[in-house]
Amino acid sequence: MDTLLEQSEYLLSHTSLDFKRYLFEEIKWNNRLIGIKGARGTGKTTLVLQWLKTQNLPVSKAAYFSLDDLYFSNNSLKETILQFYKKGGKILVLDEVHKYKNWSTEIKNIYDVYKDIKIIFTGSSIIDINRQQGDLSRRVIMYELSGSSYREFLSLNYNFQLPVFSLDKILKDAGDLKKLLPNSFRPLEHFNEYLQTGYYPFYQEDKETVHQRINQLIRMIVEYDMAELKDFDIRNAKKVLQLIYVVAQQVPFKPNLVALANKTDIHRNSLNNYLQYLEQARLISLLQPAGKSVAVLQKPEKIYLDNSNLLFALVEQQVEKGNLRETFFRSQVNVVSKINMPISGDFLVDNKYTFEIGGKSKSQKQIAGIKNSWIVKDDLEFPIGNNLPLWMFGFVY
């Protein structure tokens, strides 16, 4: 275990506190058992290391262990935690828990017996805490970390100190929000850069290879993370990668599952499950019709890629502008609100707000007569009447 502690000390010493993700302030860190899930590349490890560093405790009291470390191939997690605890350990951060077979049961056992140890764990977005052995769901407070918002991208890369705009504020006081922004701020100046490469925080490390890294990330999710799903046959990983590629060339579209099954050679009965898995992995988004229970649906109304960076990494032809606008809006607003497919318009948010997404010439025709409806335009700097700028929805978190 000494090697694990040395690694923890090294990582903490090289962790910067200059910029913290939105979730850092939202997590109730005083809870004794906290879980943070999210897609690969969204910054979960950095987030928990930052919090651990702010505790200013020696590594013998507060440490970080990654469960994909070779150490855990021959050593029990439970016994390792006990050894840490008996030597005075109080706080333990466990990263990549889905890489350890019985993680939920062993964490539950420690949590129930030793009341003065605090455990924070991170894992893949595919984790369904309600389906884990050991019934952690009644004990843990779960959070999910999404990729960088447009606001975070600007703060991290261009040092803008920018406020969060709640959805209600945007809809009720959008004109007044301009006063909260720096005079030098030009909202569209870096917007296209974000759409192409800014969603994943690793953009800052190497801007030239972002799309290559995204493709590698997709392969890792399908071949390694999804392998942890009980109902996923890893022998179908190649077919699932093909499914992602086929979807990417057509989004957004209303899926014909029979045609999609024929194109990917995935059995029709398995295809809907695989689409659900890809959504859990935050690679695609399934837009369901309003007013229906997701549990009884056989297929979604529309399929999108999860974020705009995936579009530029996967789509062979030029990215279609309407698709890009809708993908951005959904990826940002979905973090704070529920989104469905309305009868008219593009998106129904929280079952009460209707949005039609478009460009400069977009009219009110599609949402005429609909209460609580707005036009969202991508070439608008600031609100004009019932027209809201698309970029502003990148400030909701």
Side-chain angles (χ1 to χ4, degrees), residues 271-310:
L271 186 58
N272 201 51
N273 286 337
Y274 285 179
L275 290 173
Q276 298 289 336
Y277 296 155
L278 290 175
E279 183 176 50
Q280 290 174 33
R282 302 300 177 248
L283 292 176
I284 65 172
S285 175
L286 307 177
L287 189 65
Q288 305 288 0
K292 294 185 180 179
S293 170
V294 174
V296 300
L297 291 177
Q298 294 301 307
K299 66 176 182 179
E301 281 294 312
K302 274 188 178 181
I303 300 178
Y304 290 87
L305 289 182
D306 180 75
N307 63 79
S308 61
N309 289 188
L310 289 170

Side-chain angles (χ1 to χ4, degrees), residues 8-177:
S8 175
E9 196 160 36
Y10 176 83
L11 287 170
L12 288 172
S13 69
H14 287 77
T15 297
S16 171
L17 298 177
D18 293 342
F19 175 82
K20 300 184 185 74
R21 295 293 312 284
Y22 75 97
L23 198 60
F24 192 96
E25 300 301 330
E26 295 182 9
I27 293 174
K28 306 298 184 186
W29 295 105
N30 58 314
N31 286 293
R32 194 159 68 85
L33 184 59
I34 297 169
I36 303 169
K37 66 178 184 175
R40 280 181 181 264
T42 52
K44 301 183 297 296
T45 300
T46 299
L47 178 73
V48 292
L49 285 172
Q50 286 177 325
W51 179 81
L52 197 58
K53 187 168 185 172
T54 63
Q55 302 312 293
N56 292 314
L57 292 171
V59 72
S60 59
K61 300 287 186 183
Y64 162 94
F65 297 162
S66 179
L67 300 198
D68 66 352
D69 193 287
L70 286 175
Y71 174 90
F72 290 103
S73 63
N74 286 315
N75 291 276
S76 156
L77 172 61
K78 182 179 178 180
E79 292 303 318
T80 302
I81 297 175
L82 281 176
Q83 188 179 350
F84 173 74
Y85 174 76
K86 289 175 181 179
K87 291 183 177 180
K90 296 291 184 182
I91 299 172
L92 194 54
V93 171
L94 303 174
D95 205 2
E96 303 278 5
V97 292
H98 58 285
K99 296 297 183 183
Y100 184 90
K101 186 177 181 181
N102 297 315
W103 66 271
S104 59
T105 301
E106 295 187 26
I107 288 176
K108 172 191 174 293
N109 290 342
I110 293 293
Y111 175 87
D112 287 347
V113 175
Y114 299 93
K115 306 296 184 182
D116 55 344
I117 187 168
K118 180 187 187 74
I119 296 176
I120 300 167
F121 66 82
T122 79
S124 166
S125 56
I126 63 173
I127 287 176
D128 183 350
I129 200 69
N130 294 308
R131 297 184 66 183
Q132 295 298 321
Q133 294 179 354
D135 191 20
L136 275 184
S137 61
R138 294 185 297 107
R139 298 163 171 81
V140 65
I141 305 297
M142 286 296 300
Y143 298 88
E144 181 162 359
L145 181 65
S146 297
S148 295
S149 66
Y150 182 44
R151 182 192 68 85
E152 290 182 304
F153 166 78
L154 292 169
S155 297
L156 178 60
N157 293 282
Y158 295 100
N159 296 315
F160 281 110
Q161 299 306 308
L162 301 165
V164 172
F165 296 159
S166 71
L167 185 61
D168 285 341
K169 276 286 187 183
I170 292 174
L171 301 184
K172 294 175 183 177
D173 307 306
D176 293 334
L177 295 179

